[in-house]
Amino acid sequence: MAATSEQGTSRSRRAIAVDGGLLLFRVDGVPVLLAPSWWIGSLVIVVLYTPLVGRFLPGASTLTSWLLSAAFAVLLGLSVLAHELGHCLVALRLGIPVRRLRLFLLGGLSEVARTPRKPGHEGMVAAAGPVVSVLLAAFCGGLMLAVPSGGAAWLLVAECAVANLAVGVFNLLPGLPLDGGRLLRAGVWAATGTRPTGTKAAVAGGGLVAFALVVWALWGLASGSEDRWLRLGVCVVTAWFVAVGASDELAAENRRAWPAGLSITELVRPVLQLPAESPVSDALAASAGRGVVLVRADGVAAGLLDETAAQRLASESPQSPAELAAEPIRAETVFLASEPSEEIAERVRETPAWQFLVVDEEGRPAGVLRREDLRAAMSGRPVP
């Protein structure tokens, strides 16, 4: 048991170092992390919200004001967590893998391993978070009627209602990277048939949202609003988050964009089939830049020749069977030549392999696609 505990602790420490956050728990295998910046955001909220507690709870002591402000920061964090869990669970149910769920500064993010392939899926994942937030806000709003007003307990319930309502409504604003922006992208995508068009529209919306937040913060300063400093702090940080997020979304869409006039068949290397028991030195010599499918005597493919492993094996034992240097052919590394080029590129990005087998409609090998060739084509460089 001691060894298991030490290994678990070691794995946990490695996860914290790699992911840059504290591992709280896992949901269906998805790690939920608390980023260091969350503490900074919470501290800012506590400092700026404390002076407002007296307005809602006259006569509250300094200690009570600080405690209620800290409770509000925690409730806001839990509201964001519930919101992101909504995204995460719907994505998983739709078969979209999620890398991690991360809470930071004044928000959260469910990092999916691949983009939704249908606008309907994008819309459902985007809507899930606000739906959870609004439902929780409604529940807390109803609970306020059952709690005596004017006390600390009532204020805590009210804070929870406000936190969830704020998270839900704010995320429905029509600009990336907010959920409203994803809903806008899904709608434009469905109407035009192209995801990039939807992304551009939602990125423009994100710019307008960031601008509106700054204007609202400045209006609070100019009008002397009681919450002007809280408003300024939250709006400036949030506007920055929205602006940077929208820019990142546009850059990611540009990286995914398939070059006009390029066909996947232009990137596929010719394929050669050789017996799996062929000497590895012969298989390596015969490849000459082509993909090599190694086939056993029973007709079953043993795998694709891994050139790096083959070169290493050939230097040590040139007459060894080439099968010993084969990379297994898995379902996720096989593409149909008729699949849309954008979908093939997306699958290559999310699959840990350096070469992929392309087959025709009857399942016969039609060529081999290498990750390096696809990366070169997507970046505009000449394909080797």
Side-chain angles (χ1 to χ4, degrees), residues 86-107:
H87 291 310
C88 180
L89 293 176
V90 171
L92 292 173
R93 294 302 176 269
L94 291 174
I96 302 172
V98 180
R99 290 195 186 96
R100 63 181 182 175
L101 190 160
R102 192 162 172 259
L103 303 179
F104 54 88
L105 201 56
L106 292 177

Side-chain angles (χ1 to χ4, degrees), residues 341-360:
S341 301
E342 293 84 355
E343 292 188 11
I344 290 179
E346 186 75 25
R347 288 177 58 190
V348 168
R349 276 191 292 268
E350 66 189 44
T351 305
W354 71 278
Q355 60 180 344
F356 302 83
L357 181 63
V358 180
V359 300
D360 60 21

Side-chain angles (χ1 to χ4, degrees), residues 3-27:
T4 302
S5 176
E6 290 174 0
Q7 291 171 358
T9 302
S10 176
R11 285 194 297 270
S12 177
R13 287 173 181 166
R14 284 199 298 271
I16 292 173
V18 171
D19 294 322
L22 175 65
L23 178 62
L24 301 179
F25 54 89
R26 293 179 183 271
V27 178

